[in-house]
Amino acid sequence: MTTFNWVAGTRNYEDIKYEVYDHIAKITINRPEVRNAFRPKTVSELIDAFSVARDDTEVGVIILTGQNHGKGQDKEAFCSGGDQKVRGNGGYVGEDHIPRLNVLDLQHLIRITPKPVIAMVNGFAIGGGHVLHLVCDLSIASENARFGQTGPRVGSFDGGYGAGLLAAMVGQKKAREIWFLCRQYTAKEALDMGMVNTVVPFDQLEEETVKWAQEILCLSPMALRMLKASFNAATDGLAGLQQFAGDATLLYYTSDEAKEGRDAFVQKRKPDFDQFPKFP
Ligand code: S0N
């Protein structure tokens, strides 16, 4: 088993860990005693960590995972969803006593982060934890991983990405089965359904995930960015198109044609767009 020299970030987090190795940021939900369930603080820290990774121009790939408990593979968790013990009326309640569903902001952030995000699923991915792996670009699971939704059992549902993206991935009938029966599925079953990219033995999970990340890091970051936005545009409606269009604007800003418009305004002259080709 290869170990990697992960270097801890400078932020002080309580519920998560942020580490970097070879242009890869690894974000770990660190509440193994509750199977890495998230409370509002966990989610706000995850949002901060994803923002740090997004802004770091040295980071090309982000891994999301759960802290191992060390009490046996069948007890490990990627994330067991919203912490039901702090679920109040109207959402999950943190130190400020305000009920929130801030995991929806996190899901959106993962979608619009213009870098590949890999879910390294080390165990249970259940409820809101299952949706978190769905919104990641790739999912690599260990053989012990278990997948499923529990909403109708515990009195909740995720009708956004949790339903729509799942159906786009596994098909309408299977998605409805997953939500309507609240069963658990093995890593092999998740692979067969098209929900995960590969399944590896537990002790090879990180090595395999880093290998995939390093392969991605050899490729063009701008092409990857445009591809991620393209895939999302098909499922995310105007919000997806906004991201794709924003990326196109970024590219346009780097052109002489766009610079001519800016410079002409700053220099108080008429822009000369005649010099630029009108491509077919
Ligand atoms: C993960 C499971 C299957 C693991 O089973 P196992 O190994 O038998 O462990 P347990 O003994 O059950 O658990 C060990 C300890 O961990 C605590 N714990 C586990 N999960 C949670 C959790 N989600 N919240 C709080 N605590 C948790 C256990 O209580 C136990 O601790 P002790 O011994 O001290 O009691 C199994 O644990 C399991 O099924 N867990 C619950 C899974 C679940 O139902 N999750 C919530 C599903 N809903 C969401 O995630 C909603 C997400 C959300 O925010 C949202 C998003 C969009 C729209 C709506 C919502 C919404 O909230 O409504």
Side-chain angles (χ1 to χ4, degrees):
M1 190 172 80
T2 311
T3 53
F4 300 95
N5 189 20
W6 295 102
V7 176
T10 52
R11 297 277 228 275
N12 280 324
Y13 296 124
E14 192 180 332
D15 286 8
I16 70 163
K17 294 196 299 185
Y18 183 88
E19 298 160 291
V20 177
Y21 166 77
D22 189 23
H23 306 284
I24 305 164
K26 182 171 72 164
I27 300 171
T28 307
I29 305 172
N30 190 17
R31 303 185 76 214
E33 67 286 355
V34 287
R35 303 290 186 267
N36 295 318
F38 52 78
R39 53 181 174 171
K41 185 189 194 76
T42 322
V43 176
S44 61
E45 290 184 354
L46 287 167
I47 289 171
D48 188 76
F50 268 95
S51 304
V52 169
R54 182 184 178 183
D55 285 352
D56 187 341
T57 54
E58 290 295 309
V59 166
V61 178
I62 302 165
I63 295 173
L64 176 64
T65 192
Q67 179 65 41
N68 286 326
H69 207 258
K71 293 192 175 166
Q73 290 177 25
D74 61 331
K75 295 290 170 200
E76 302 302 5
F78 170 74
C79 176
S80 64
D83 187 328
Q84 298 305 297
K85 290 161 193 162
V86 299
R87 183 174 141 194
N89 298 325
Y92 295 86
V93 181
E95 286 155 0
D96 60 7
H97 305 294
I98 298 172
R100 298 199 150 76
L101 272 174
N102 57 346
V103 76
L104 299 180
D105 298 337
L106 173 64
Q107 294 174 1
H108 181 63
L109 178 58
I110 293 172
R111 293 286 285 181
I112 65 167
T113 295
K115 306 177 181 188
V117 180
I118 307 177
M120 186 166 86
V121 186
N122 53 313
F124 290 110
I126 304 286
H130 187 249
V131 181
L132 282 182
H133 108 83
L134 290 177
V135 297
C136 292
D137 298 295
L138 300 170
S139 293
I140 300 182
S142 49
E143 288 164 346
N144 59 305
R146 294 288 178 274
F147 299 80
Q149 298 295 157
T150 62
R153 185 180 299 134
V154 298
S156 74
F157 61 91
D158 183 340
Y161 288 126
L165 200 55
L166 181 66
M169 239 173 244
V170 303
Q172 283 284 343
K173 298 279 184 187
K174 204 71 195 177
R176 285 164 206 236
E177 173 194 312
I178 290 169
W179 273 101
F180 291 179
L181 279 76
C182 294
R183 287 180 181 165
Q184 283 182 14
Y185 299 85
T186 64
K188 169 77 171 57
E189 287 170 325
L191 180 69
D192 291 344
M193 279 186 247
M195 273 200 307
V196 305
N197 297 87
T198 191
V199 178
V200 295
F202 180 74
D203 61 359
Q204 289 169 28
L205 180 61
E206 183 160 291
E207 189 175 342
E208 185 68 16
T209 310
V210 168
K211 193 173 139 208
W212 282 54
Q214 286 173 329
E215 265 187 68
I216 292 170
L217 285 165
C218 295
L219 305 174
S220 157
M222 185 57 77
L224 294 168
R225 178 187 186 114
M226 298 305 292
L227 280 166
K228 176 164 179 173
S230 309
F231 282 119
N232 290 356
T235 43
D236 288 4
L238 263 186
L241 196 57
Q242 184 207 33
Q243 179 66 24
F244 186 78
D247 288 340
T249 307
L250 183 160
L251 281 176
Y252 178 57
Y253 275 167
T254 65
S255 72
D256 289 338
E257 186 178 329
K259 287 177 197 160
E260 170 61 11
R262 177 201 60 197
D263 292 348
F265 177 81
V266 172
Q267 294 159 13
K268 298 189 185 303
R269 60 174 172 81
K270 199 164 169 261
D272 172 18
F273 288 121
D274 279 350
Q275 59 183 305
F276 300 108
K278 285 82 182 160
F279 290 113

